[in-house]
Amino acid sequence: MILITNIVAWRKPWRVSRLVCAVFILCSYAAYATTTLTLRSYFPKERVRARETMNFVVEYLAEDEPWIDDVISRAGAARNSLRSVVGEALLVQVRLVVAPTRELFVKMVGRWAENSVAVAAVRRAEPTVVLNAEAIRRGTPANFQATLLHEFVHIYLGLRCMRPLPRWFEEGVATLAAGEWDTEDAASVTWAAFIGGLIPIHQLEHSFPVDAAVQQLAYRQSASLVQFMMTQRQQSFARFVSNFTGEKGLPEIAQLWNPIYRDPLELSWRKELRSFRNWALLSFHSGLFWAFVAVLTLAAWLVKYLRNRARRREWEEEEKIYQALDEEEKSSASRYADPEEDEDDEPRPPWYA
């Protein structure tokens, strides 16, 4: 038996290598799924707590107990918001892991998420959202709830779409669904288009940049492009997202990965950003706004300076004219004055002055 196995392995080594790779991948994934995204891999068991509801399983440290009720409440509200946005309920129990520090959060999900508040790991058996408790404490409750909704959209798309989506498309849908898109974001993307600073879309298919500023631009670009697609199709958000779910969404998803479809879409989107209709958005861009204010202030000062300078010149010319007239008047008076009468030696009356 051993001999036969060795002969088969010698004759067809590619099968053995494929089998070894598959076993390695499965073992690695199993280790990742069971250890990486649980606090029990980093803390003693007595410090780790777990609370289960119908919709959530929350894992946290004992010292974070006082605010876990609020986490569950806001997660429930975000889940309800998801239903109203996409038109479907999230019929799965979601696991929430509260990482107490930013360092542990990055260690659990990866360095690429060092600027994030939460990250969703879409697993059909147990979808998980890892929360950065340190960032949550610094933010506002409203932002935290929007973040939860953003991550729940990732879970929804991961469960309902039968093929992986490009990263830019998935992040754009999640950003719009969570209401993390406003006029200033649109102005920022428009300004990047005017100065040639947009990130090529094909670079955002699999991953996003780590740098905070570039990463923010990537999120804004993604939302802008998805918004552009919705406008072209003239569909509501829920109807637009439904095009990519289930079996009917397979051709739609395939198009997103196809350069023949993606590249013309990107060109049309860039052309729209640079159109005259979007110029008004530039006034909402904070950096450009203050630069515009500075230019206006400088222009107003320059106009005032030139006006005062011209006025001083007019005054100087008028002064010269007045001086010339005074001199001319004095000259004329001396020229046409009556000559003085000669004094005679005759005695004057006493009243003669």
Side-chain angles (χ1 to χ4, degrees), residues 232-307:
Q232 279 192 324
R233 299 191 183 202
Q234 296 182 350
Q235 294 178 336
S236 65
F237 184 84
R239 180 69 184 87
F240 174 77
V241 173
S242 69
N243 293 327
F244 302 89
T245 60
E247 292 187 3
K248 67 179 183 302
L250 290 174
E252 295 278 358
I253 298 175
Q255 276 192 328
L256 296 177
W257 290 102
N258 191 345
I260 296 177
Y261 170 81
R262 182 202 62 212
D263 292 347
L265 173 66
E266 181 178 3
L267 288 175
S268 300
W269 167 66
R270 287 173 177 261
K271 183 179 179 180
E272 176 65 21
L273 289 176
R274 292 191 293 267
S275 66
F276 179 78
R277 292 189 298 272
N278 284 333
W279 285 15
L281 283 173
L282 296 179
S283 61
F284 292 93
H285 189 270
S286 58
L288 184 64
F289 173 77
W290 290 114
F292 183 68
V293 170
V295 170
L296 285 181
T297 304
L298 180 61
W301 176 86
L302 184 61
V303 169
K304 184 177 180 180
Y305 171 78
L306 294 177
R307 183 181 300 168

Side-chain angles (χ1 to χ4, degrees), residues 39-341:
L39 298 178
R40 291 183 173 85
S41 299
Y42 305 96
F43 298 97
K45 292 182 178 180
E46 57 271 14
R47 289 188 61 188
V48 180
R49 300 283 188 272
R51 188 183 303 181
E52 184 173 358
T53 67
M54 183 176 65
N55 294 322
F56 304 104
V57 175
V58 187
E59 186 177 298
Y60 56 94
L61 295 185
E63 50 265 37
D64 290 327
E65 179 77 36
W67 64 293
I68 295 303
D69 287 334
D70 186 66
V71 170
I72 296 175
S73 175
R74 296 189 183 281
R79 192 173 180 128
N80 293 333
S81 297
L82 174 67
R83 181 175 183 176
S84 64
V85 170
V86 299
E88 286 187 272
L90 189 61
L91 301 177
V92 65
Q93 192 179 50
V94 179
R95 186 163 165 264
L96 304 176
V97 180
V98 183
T101 63
R102 176 178 176 273
E103 288 74 19
L104 180 59
F105 173 78
V106 172
K107 189 174 182 180
M108 294 177 73
V109 301
R111 181 175 172 272
W112 64 271
E114 61 184 8
N115 302 308
S116 302
V117 178
V119 169
V122 183
R123 301 165 178 171
R124 293 187 178 275
E126 191 180 39
T128 303
V129 176
V130 183
L131 304 175
N132 182 353
E134 187 174 325
I136 292 172
R137 294 188 186 98
R138 293 198 302 265
T140 63
N143 291 339
F144 176 44
Q145 189 164 320
T147 299
L148 287 171
L149 176 55
H150 183 113
E151 301 308 323
F152 290 164
V153 172
H154 284 299
I155 293 176
Y156 171 80
L157 294 175
L159 296 176
R160 294 287 287 117
C161 297
M162 301 185 68
R163 282 191 59 185
L165 294 163
R167 179 73 184 275
W168 64 264
F169 181 82
E170 189 169 335
E171 294 294 352
V173 170
T175 300
L176 293 176
E180 299 169 327
W181 173 255
D182 56 22
T183 306
E184 186 173 353
D185 295 323
S188 178
V189 176
T190 302
W191 175 244
F194 270 91
I195 65 175
L198 292 175
I199 306 169
I201 293 300
H202 69 86
Q203 295 183 9
L204 305 177
E205 286 187 332
H206 300 284
S207 61
F208 272 19
V210 177
D211 180 76
V214 184
Q215 189 179 97
Q216 185 183 41
L217 177 60
Y219 277 98
R220 287 172 167 174
Q221 278 190 214
S222 301
S224 177
L225 183 51
V226 172
Q227 182 72 56
F228 176 74
M229 294 174 64
M230 289 175 54
T231 303
Q232 279 192 324
R233 299 191 183 202
Q234 296 182 350
Q235 294 178 336
S236 65
F237 184 84
R239 180 69 184 87
F240 174 77
V241 173
S242 69
N243 293 327
F244 302 89
T245 60
E247 292 187 3
K248 67 179 183 302
L250 290 174
E252 295 278 358
I253 298 175
Q255 276 192 328
L256 296 177
W257 290 102
N258 191 345
I260 296 177
Y261 170 81
R262 182 202 62 212
D263 292 347
L265 173 66
E266 181 178 3
L267 288 175
S268 300
W269 167 66
R270 287 173 177 261
K271 183 179 179 180
E272 176 65 21
L273 289 176
R274 292 191 293 267
S275 66
F276 179 78
R277 292 189 298 272
N278 284 333
W279 285 15
L281 283 173
L282 296 179
S283 61
F284 292 93
H285 189 270
S286 58
L288 184 64
F289 173 77
W290 290 114
F292 183 68
V293 170
V295 170
L296 285 181
T297 304
L298 180 61
W301 176 86
L302 184 61
V303 169
K304 184 177 180 180
Y305 171 78
L306 294 177
R307 183 181 300 168
N308 292 338
R309 184 177 178 182
R311 186 175 299 172
R312 284 195 298 269
R313 286 181 177 176
E314 291 178 0
W315 290 345
E316 291 175 356
E317 292 295 330
E318 290 178 358
E319 190 68 24
K320 291 179 180 179
I321 293 174
Y322 290 146
Q323 290 180 359
L325 291 175
D326 290 342
E327 292 177 358
E328 181 67 22
E329 185 177 355
K330 291 178 181 180
S331 175
S332 299
S334 60
R335 187 180 307 115
Y336 297 105
D338 295 334
E340 296 181 358
E341 296 180 357

